[in-house]
Amino acid sequence: MKQNWNKESLLAAYPRFEAQPDFYLGRMADAEKGFADTFGKEAERFFSAPGRTEIGGNHTDHQHGCVLAAAVDLDIFGAAAKNDSCIIRIFSEGYGMEEISLDDLEVKKEEINTTASLIRGVASKITQMGYTLGGLDMYTVSNVLKGSGISSSAAYEVLVGTVINALYCENKLTPVEIAQIGQYAENVYFGKMSGLMDQTASSVGGVVAIDFRDNANPVVRKLDFDFTKAGYALCIIDSGADHADLSDEYSAIPMEMRQVAAHFGKEVLREVALADFLTDMAAVREKAGDRATLRAYHFLKDNQRAIDEAAALEAGDFGKFLSLVKESGYSSFMYLQNVYVSGSVEHQEVAYTLAACEAALAGKGAYRVHGGGFAGTIQAFVPQEMLAGFVEQMEKAVGKGRCHVLSIRPAGGTELMKV
């Protein structure tokens, strides 16, 4: 079976493939069998879209700021084929079937916060761009767990966009365009006002520094950096927090930041200078309130930190990079305030996990809240010589199987080829 797949495409998607070939080949075989059992025919083409990790720039993208992010080797794998209808049918293992008609691509209120809304939104946007779509069938398997902080929704959007691009658009859509299509689906159809970082990191792949000053034309720069060669492992630790609907908590952050921007006659905080903000900080507080002011301060500092982190990696100054990661984490906790839901006293799982991580690292490496926050995960850069003990200590503190050691994945949304 190994000979059936193009090795180059496999290694680009799964950098640890040669160490765990049975695992990867097994799940791909499961998807092929699942497709045949579900749709009564053979899959024709195969696709993968990765989860992402946010490395720098916490909640900066939706203010047209800068971020540092990377695709990771957890993904959604899909076996697909065209069908002769105007229906997109996607069966996700463990979740079931979603069907949407290409004859009806309007926003559905009843679909808000559902997977169907993401499919409909991606198809709608690609149609608006002038492409003629047809039906398709797909069976997916995923190890990008929902609520993991690795952005399963972005991976799903990128997968659907990548499949449609290959089957019906002659691969004319660029990775950045596929990311923008995914963001549109999430904002307009799913009902979550996310920025563009998650989708871009998933769609482009590798370690990327992204500048969203012009959101319609983000500047994406790939960085040639390998954390393992620097002697560190990238870990994501699941706090075990309740992943109930947090859309209001997430949406409040860009809303409050835009309130501060409006004080200066601007739409987003990227257009506001830090010096001007500091000069007028008391008036901002009077108009927008304390929390909005603190969140704006976080953005204005963390936006520059994301730029500095990328520069540190490019210069090979990993010590400086780690220092900036810790600064960003402190700022997210103190000023952005996305470590736990306001008013929550008993449940502060992310804060607890941060404390456990600080104890386990004992002054080495770096750690911070990961992604959107409130629930989900934290990120840690762990010295390789400490890794085994770190994983053991963290899983003792937060639960077995909740500390994940990841690798950076070179490929973004991609088609895996057979030979």
Side-chain angles (χ1 to χ4, degrees):
M1 186 174 182
K2 293 181 184 179
Q3 291 79 6
N4 290 345
W5 294 94
N6 176 278
K7 188 174 181 180
E8 184 178 350
S9 68
L10 280 180
L11 290 175
Y14 307 121
R16 291 187 282 187
F17 173 78
E18 291 184 316
Q20 304 173 5
D22 292 342
F23 168 76
Y24 292 108
L25 293 171
R27 68 194 292 265
M28 290 188 285
D30 287 346
E32 283 194 79
K33 183 178 185 303
F35 184 94
D37 291 345
T38 302
F39 299 109
K41 58 185 179 182
E42 297 299 315
E44 297 172 357
R45 299 172 76 171
F46 306 90
F47 300 86
S48 168
R52 69 96 185 100
T53 183
E54 172 201 286
I55 298 171
N58 194 210
H59 279 278
T60 54
D61 58 333
H62 51 67
Q63 297 301 296
H64 295 197
C66 296
V67 301
L68 184 64
V72 297
D73 61 342
L74 300 180
D75 77 320
I76 307 176
F77 176 81
K82 289 183 177 181
N83 65 39
D84 296 327
S85 71
C86 63
I87 304 293
I88 294 178
R89 303 187 297 175
I90 301 178
F91 188 97
S92 299
E93 190 172 81
Y95 296 97
M97 181 75 77
E98 298 287 356
E99 295 187 12
I100 71 110
S101 171
L102 295 170
D103 292 332
D104 182 8
L105 295 178
E106 298 298 316
V107 177
K108 308 289 184 187
K109 288 185 178 180
E110 64 273 18
E111 286 183 352
I112 288 175
N113 290 323
T114 68
T115 303
S117 71
L118 299 179
I119 304 169
R120 198 180 303 274
V122 169
S124 174
K125 186 62 175 178
I126 294 176
T127 301
Q128 292 171 40
M129 295 170 72
Y131 294 96
T132 300
L133 308 189
L136 68 88
D137 298 322
M138 182 160 60
Y139 187 98
T140 73
V141 295
S142 175
N143 55 11
V144 186
L145 302 176
K146 286 189 175 182
S148 66
I150 306 174
S151 200
S152 58
S153 60
Y156 192 88
E157 294 151 16
V158 168
L159 180 68
V160 174
T162 300
V163 172
I164 292 175
N165 189 30
L167 297 185
Y168 289 106
C169 307
E170 299 178 340
N171 285 316
K172 292 180 179 178
L173 296 171
T174 68
V176 171
E177 286 176 323
I178 290 174
Q180 292 168 327
I181 290 163
Q183 184 199 24
Y184 172 84
E186 191 154 323
N187 290 176
V188 178
Y189 282 71
F190 188 82
K192 180 179 177 182
M193 296 309 295
S194 66
L196 189 55
M197 177 192 67
D198 295 354
Q199 294 84 357
T200 304
S202 177
S203 188
V204 173
V207 180
V208 287
I210 313 169
D211 186 336
F212 292 112
R213 183 183 292 276
D214 179 358
N215 214 37
N217 300 285
V219 177
V220 181
R221 189 172 85 256
K222 275 203 170 188
L223 277 61
D224 182 16
F225 191 86
D226 187 341
F227 291 107
T228 60
K229 290 181 180 178
Y232 283 79
L234 168 64
C235 294
I236 297 293
I237 303 99
D238 181 359
S239 69
D242 181 9
H243 297 132
D245 180 31
L246 294 168
S247 293
D248 289 346
E249 295 288 343
Y250 295 130
S251 297
I253 294 177
M255 180 185 71
E256 291 177 12
M257 288 184 176
R258 286 174 183 267
Q259 286 175 351
V260 175
H263 173 81
F264 295 92
K266 306 296 184 181
E267 183 179 349
V268 292
L269 282 173
R270 181 63 182 275
E271 300 170 351
V272 178
L274 175 61
D276 292 339
F277 171 82
L278 294 175
T279 298
D280 216 22
M281 197 169 175
V284 170
R285 180 190 187 194
E286 181 68 25
K287 183 175 182 178
D290 287 354
R291 190 173 73 171
T293 304
L294 293 169
R295 285 175 163 172
Y297 179 71
H298 163 82
F299 168 85
L300 292 166
K301 298 287 283 186
D302 217 44
N303 188 62
Q304 184 60 49
R305 270 190 289 266
I307 297 170
D308 293 343
E309 285 171 356
L313 290 182
E314 290 180 308
D317 190 348
F318 203 70
K320 176 65 172 176
F321 167 77
L322 292 174
S323 177
L324 290 165
V325 169
K326 287 187 278 191
E327 285 182 19
S328 177
Y330 296 149
S331 180
S332 292
F333 203 152
M334 291 188 292
Y335 306 129
L336 183 60
Q337 299 179 42
N338 68 332
V339 169
Y340 53 84
V341 175
S342 298
S344 178
V345 176
E346 184 179 352
H347 293 288
Q348 297 188 10
E349 291 91 343
V350 175
Y352 167 84
T353 307
L354 287 169
C357 192
E358 180 180 64
L361 284 173
K364 305 289 181 62
Y367 62 97
R368 48 161 290 182
V369 62
H370 181 243
F374 300 110
T377 60
I378 68 169
Q379 177 188 76
F381 293 94
V382 183
Q384 288 283 358
E385 65 272 15
M386 297 178 65
L387 183 58
F390 176 83
V391 172
E392 181 181 1
Q393 191 167 336
M394 289 307 299
E395 295 199 338
K396 183 178 179 181
V398 299
K400 192 72 173 174
R402 286 186 172 165
C403 184
H404 306 281
V405 183
L406 305 181
S407 291
I408 303 301
R409 160 175 159 150
T414 190
E415 182 171 2
L416 298 178
M417 311 299 294
K418 284 197 169 186
V419 294

